[in-house]
Amino acid sequence: MCKQLGFPSSYRIMEGEPVNVKEFQELARQALPKMYYDYYTGGAEDQYTLKENVEAFHRITLRPRVLVDVSRIDLSTTVLGYRVSAPIMIAPTAMHKLAHPEGEVATARAAAACNTIMVLSFMSTCTVEEVASSCDAIRFFQLYVYKRRDVCAQLLQRAERNGYKGIVLTVDTPRLGRREADIKNKMVAPQLKNFEGLLSTEVDDEEGSNLEAFAKETFDDALSWRDLGWLRSITNLPILIKGVLTREDALKAVEVGVDGIIVSNHGARQLDFTPATISVLEEVVHAVGGKVPVLFDGGVRRGTDVFKALALGAQAVLVGRPVVYGLAAKGEYGVKRVIQMLKDELELTMALSGCSSVKDITRSHIRTERERLQSML
């Protein structure tokens, strides 16, 4: 269990401790300027997929087994050979210093304390070196591919030198999705420390989001499958691709030799009306056929959500917004509480479902909406 730390009285929090992950969102709303809160919470366009990412979990029910010895529950598992305390990882989310002064350093320390993996965002507000020196967390590094390939290469080399264990290539962002709250708020991206001396993130756009203008200037929208060869040529680290939603792309990913797949719709921030990630997870798992690990990202708010994703074939889940909400509300302590809440809920779900270890969670432990409808025919 994560050791609890005190936190400064200056944090603005509601009376009493949150009892679930969802309550951290309200604490974050109180703590953050509106521009930053909207940035973290918002999705693309009508935000249909944003809602679906969470609500699709509600349409999957559990099928518990009884009279199973659950006096000891083992949550631990491995991801790319690294042992973690539970199948719950920290997803790459940008600019943590907008949420808390210690930024990604606080998040990494929480990951280390909870013995899990943190994926550091390419758009972090702490450098790869600062995060690496802050703790002994297992760290992966997220990569966007820019038109300036030399910038990408230098950051990858720095990550590798500083002990990062894997690369998470985000593949669903040839352009930035239309995030209307950021446009209304005229969202301004700070200068990112990783790019100092390499690239300026200062872009003038009086009409809308500075972040969108920066992405339009820098993101390489010509990126394609053949560029995996280029990426392989500049790093020795395992490569996972994040942003796969279809059987076709899963098969292609295996064909080009990736080391893992993350089923993700970018937290519903890119293309609205894509399916909820939990609704396509099984399609990707079946396509891959166990050749590479499949991880899951999108909409996890409860331990039961983690259980459902594992039952559908995910090796682990990544958690994004709840981690940022915990960070905004209570810093490192808040991130640790979010992770621990999910672990505690997962443990209880496993006990009440008759699963003493993660390996015991099977497809037969859940019932999807499609199966429910078919049974009514």
Side-chain angles (χ1 to χ4, degrees):
M1 183 174 290
C2 301
K3 182 181 177 183
Q4 294 188 3
L5 296 179
F7 53 92
S9 58
S10 60
Y11 286 123
R12 298 177 57 195
I13 61 173
M14 290 165 47
E15 184 177 350
E17 282 286 292
V19 297
N20 59 53
V21 166
K22 297 175 187 177
E23 292 184 0
F24 272 101
Q25 182 170 352
E26 174 58 21
L27 298 186
R29 187 190 65 79
Q30 294 181 21
L32 292 173
K34 183 178 184 300
M35 177 186 289
Y36 297 161
Y37 177 76
D38 288 352
Y39 168 71
Y40 288 129
T41 59
E45 296 186 349
D46 295 324
Q47 303 189 125
Y48 168 83
T49 300
L50 182 67
K51 299 181 184 73
E52 271 292 289
N53 266 2
V54 173
E55 292 176 2
F57 275 108
H58 302 168
R59 297 191 288 272
I60 300 173
T61 53
L62 303 178
R63 303 181 68 246
R65 306 296 189 276
V66 297
L67 294 177
V68 177
D69 181 358
V70 290
S71 56
R72 293 186 178 181
I73 303 290
D74 182 9
L75 299 181
S76 67
T77 190
T78 58
V79 177
L80 292 187
Y82 296 100
R83 195 78 175 173
V84 291
S85 63
I88 301 167
M89 299 166 53
I90 295 179
T93 47
M95 299 186 289
H96 284 197
K97 280 194 175 182
L98 300 185
H100 187 275
E102 293 182 353
E104 290 82 5
V105 164
T107 307
R109 287 174 178 159
C114 292
N115 188 22
T116 193
I117 296 170
M118 173 187 178
V119 184
L120 180 68
S121 171
F122 194 69
M123 306 285 286
S124 65
T125 40
C126 296
T127 66
V128 294
E129 292 83 5
E130 287 171 336
V131 174
S133 64
S134 68
C135 63
D136 60 356
I138 304 166
R139 298 174 305 278
F140 294 172
F141 183 66
Q142 181 217 18
L143 177 69
Y144 288 110
V145 175
Y146 284 1
K147 294 170 185 175
R148 287 272 310 275
R149 296 287 179 94
D150 60 309
V151 171
C152 300
Q154 287 191 49
L155 282 170
L156 281 183
Q157 290 161 8
R158 287 165 57 187
E160 203 161 345
R161 283 198 305 269
N162 283 275
Y164 290 73
K165 303 301 185 184
I167 300 301
V168 173
L169 174 65
T170 296
V171 295
D172 57 6
T173 319
R175 301 183 186 183
L176 203 67
R178 183 175 174 81
R179 305 165 191 176
E180 295 179 358
D182 291 347
I183 295 171
K184 290 178 182 177
N185 292 332
K186 300 186 183 299
M187 175 65 188
V188 176
Q191 175 64 37
L192 302 174
K193 290 183 69 176
N194 275 322
F195 298 144
E196 286 181 357
L198 298 174
L199 185 73
S200 174
T201 57
E202 295 179 4
V203 179
D204 291 327
D205 187 354
E206 297 180 358
E207 300 301 318
S209 166
N210 168 275
L211 189 64
E212 184 178 0
F214 169 71
K216 189 178 295 185
E217 283 195 9
T218 56
F219 285 16
D220 188 354
D221 56 6
L223 184 70
S224 67
W225 289 107
R226 64 177 176 271
D227 292 308
L228 268 294
W230 161 77
L231 186 56
R232 284 281 183 205
S233 74
I234 62 170
T235 183
N236 295 315
L237 296 176
I239 299 169
L240 301 92
I241 65 168
K242 177 176 178 285
V244 172
L245 293 173
T246 64
R247 174 182 180 273
E248 294 86 348
D249 282 343
L251 290 170
K252 187 68 176 178
V254 172
E255 180 186 321
V256 301
V258 303
D259 299 288
I261 291 172
I262 303 175
V263 177
S264 173
N265 56 26
H266 210 105
R269 295 163 71 80
Q270 280 299 101
L271 179 62
D272 203 10
F273 292 95
T274 56
T277 42
I278 195 65
S279 69
V280 297
L281 171 60
E282 193 167 28
E283 173 184 334
V284 172
V285 168
H286 284 169
V288 168
K291 293 175 183 174
V292 298
V294 176
L295 309 181
F296 174 85
D297 169 69
V300 171
R301 299 294 183 271
R302 286 282 189 182
T304 49
D305 298 339
V306 181
F307 185 94
K308 292 170 185 179
L310 298 179
L312 286 167
Q315 191 172 83
V317 305
L318 287 84
V319 180
R321 286 185 179 90
V323 165
V324 174
Y325 298 151
L327 181 67
K330 300 186 180 185
E332 178 185 336
Y333 169 80
V335 176
K336 290 162 69 172
R337 285 298 299 139
V338 164
I339 296 170
Q340 191 61 49
M341 283 177 172
L342 291 173
K343 288 171 66 174
D344 290 345
E345 290 178 0
L346 174 60
E347 182 177 358
L348 180 59
T349 303
M350 289 171 62
L352 295 178
S353 298
C355 299
S356 61
S357 74
V358 169
K359 292 178 181 177
D360 294 331
I361 303 171
T362 68
R363 181 62 174 78
S364 66
H365 283 95
I366 62 165
R367 191 186 201 193
T368 63
E369 183 182 29
R370 177 181 295 179
E371 290 165 337
R372 181 182 66 82
L373 294 174
Q374 286 175 341
S375 70
M376 296 170 62
L377 295 178

